[in-house]
Amino acid sequence: MHSKHKTYVASAAAVVLAFGGPVAAAAAHTADAARTASAAASARADVDAEGAAAAALKKYPGVVESLDKDDAVWHVDIIGKDGKHAEVTVDSRSGKVFTDNADDDSDGDSGGNKELLAAKVTAQQAMKAAVAAHPGQVWSVEWDDDDDNGSRYWNVEVKSGGKTTNVHVDATTGKATVSGSDSDGDDND
């Protein structure tokens, strides 16, 4: 009796697999194809500035203070909501995040950090505004609070056609102003 029970269970499993098999196999094939396509796409396209910011913020929630591309990595400085400062590196090919330094902002620049944390326009929004004003690839973004006239803005470098263009984005209004362009001789593309 015991062996008949095992045979019945095995037969029932075979019936389920027979009916569920093609559907399950098709679903698995589709998932594998999606993973393969995704891997191929990421192999072709490096992580862009927005992707680097998102990866860094996922690991260290807060506000991006600056971000810049250096060969195959992005350097991202983050100020956490708690005032802690983190310097991270994001691999531009894999998107993997490495911690360079994380501290409690012992350099005493908490005044500037308060302004940054309170800014209506984030680094990510500034990047979008800069590219809308001057199409290209964001190469760096940096918080700038001008002590001379009290203005606060994002300085965004956009590369296109072998030239680097600086775009200032107002931290309150989000208005982008193209401030200058120069040829790029370092060919880091």
Side-chain angles (χ1 to χ4, degrees):
M1 178 102 179
H2 194 328
S3 65
K4 285 184 184 177
H5 180 67
K6 281 186 181 176
T7 305
Y8 176 76
V9 171
S11 297
V15 169
V16 168
L17 286 175
F19 288 103
V23 173
H29 177 71
T30 303
D32 286 344
R35 274 193 296 276
T36 303
S38 172
S42 65
R44 284 192 306 267
D46 283 353
V47 174
D48 66 4
E50 287 186 46
L57 288 171
K58 186 174 181 183
K59 183 154 188 168
Y60 289 98
V63 177
V64 172
E65 179 181 30
S66 69
L67 175 146
D68 67 282
K69 181 130 191 228
D70 183 16
D71 291 326
V73 297
W74 289 96
H75 296 287
V76 187
D77 283 353
I78 299 169
I79 304 300
K81 303 277 186 211
D82 56 4
K84 290 187 187 250
H85 177 242
E87 296 171 11
V88 300
T89 300
V90 180
D91 186 291
S92 68
R93 290 191 172 68
S94 69
K96 187 168 181 173
V97 179
F98 303 92
T99 305
D100 293 336
N101 187 22
D103 60 35
D104 61 358
D105 191 32
S106 56
D107 64 4
D109 187 26
S110 59
N113 291 346
K114 285 180 188 165
E115 297 293 341
L116 170 63
L117 292 169
K120 291 183 175 160
V121 178
T122 65
Q124 297 91 314
Q125 292 166 328
M127 288 187 266
K128 287 179 182 168
V131 171
H134 185 81
Q137 181 183 10
V138 172
W139 211 253
S140 74
V141 61
E142 184 174 10
W143 173 254
D144 196 341
D145 74 21
D146 188 343
D147 292 334
D148 295 338
N149 65 14
S151 66
R152 287 164 181 78
Y153 60 90
W154 292 99
N155 184 38
V156 184
E157 282 185 344
V158 179
K159 286 193 177 194
S160 64
K163 291 187 182 274
T164 301
T165 301
N166 290 310
V167 181
H168 289 174
V169 179
D170 188 286
T172 303
T173 66
K175 181 179 183 220
T177 307
V178 176
S179 67
S181 178
D182 53 62
S183 64
D184 178 21
D186 62 5
D187 270 340
N188 278 353
D189 301 307

